[in-house]
């Protein structure tokens, strides 16, 4: 498994075109960190991807970071994995604030369901890359 440490988050390649993002606990992700994540997508991944955002740690997001989520052209879908009702409510707010509402976004409490949803989204992309 490929893993990348961005300092404020760990990104792991789960399978072709699907990456898990786990933020460090007790931090605030701001606009600069969001921009650094976008640079990471450009420099390291360089191909369309789907993200599993695992919300297992408590952290906060600035308004700018909330709006920037999913705003990169390589991100084709986001599944949020939530564990608590309070986290689910924050994710709902984040989904309403996201600028790029054209990409599919969903919240899940079950990791396997989230991954299956992402696989379904990624299937056309995977078929295109294989041909």
């Amino acid at each position: 498994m490929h893993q990348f440490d961005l300092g404020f988050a760990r990104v792991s390649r789960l399978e072709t075109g699907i990456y898990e993002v786990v933020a460090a606990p007790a931090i605030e992700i701001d606009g600069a960190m969001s921009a650094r994540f976008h640079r990471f997508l450009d420099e390291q991944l360089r191909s369309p991807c789907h993200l599993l955002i695992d919300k297992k740690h408590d952290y906060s997001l600035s308004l700018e970071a909330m709006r920037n989520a999913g705003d990169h052209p390589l991100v084709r879908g986001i599944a949020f994995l939530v564990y608590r009702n309070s986290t689910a409510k924050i994710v709902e707010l984040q989904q309403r604030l996201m600028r790029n509402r054209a990409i599919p976004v969903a919240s899940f409490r079950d990791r396997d369901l989230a991954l299956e949803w992402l696989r379904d989204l990624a299937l056309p992309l995977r078929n295109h890359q294989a041909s």
Side-chain angles (χ1 to χ4, degrees):
M1 174 189 307
H2 290 97
Q3 289 193 351
F4 307 91
D5 186 357
L6 304 180
F8 60 91
R10 186 189 76 243
V11 180
S12 304
R13 181 181 180 262
L14 300 178
E15 51 193 75
T16 302
I18 299 178
Y19 294 84
E20 178 181 42
V21 181
V22 179
I27 63 166
E28 179 183 25
I29 296 176
D30 60 18
M33 292 172 181
S34 179
R36 199 157 79 214
F37 181 72
H38 286 188
R39 281 193 306 278
F40 162 79
L41 293 172
D42 287 331
E43 295 168 3
Q44 296 293 323
L45 303 188
R46 296 184 296 255
S47 61
C49 61
H50 296 79
L51 303 177
L52 173 64
I53 309 293
D54 191 326
K55 304 284 280 182
K56 67 180 172 182
H57 298 302
D58 288 329
Y59 61 92
S60 61
L61 292 151
S62 71
L63 185 58
E64 183 180 5
M66 280 190 190
R67 288 185 175 151
N68 289 342
D71 202 28
H72 193 282
L74 292 177
V75 176
R76 301 294 169 85
I78 300 174
F80 289 95
L81 184 57
V82 298
Y83 300 91
R84 294 178 298 282
N85 287 335
S86 58
T87 306
K89 299 243 183 257
I90 292 167
V91 167
E92 285 176 26
L93 172 63
Q94 182 177 357
Q95 288 172 317
R96 286 196 301 267
L97 292 172
M98 287 172 57
R99 284 187 278 215
N100 186 355
R101 296 178 185 215
I103 66 167
V105 177
S107 295
F108 297 88
R109 291 185 183 268
D110 182 278
R111 181 184 180 80
D112 292 333
L113 290 175
L115 285 171
E116 191 60 38
W117 184 80
L118 287 170
R119 286 182 190 114
D120 288 346
L121 287 178
L123 188 59
L125 182 62
R126 290 175 178 183
N127 288 341
H128 177 68
Q129 289 175 341
S131 58

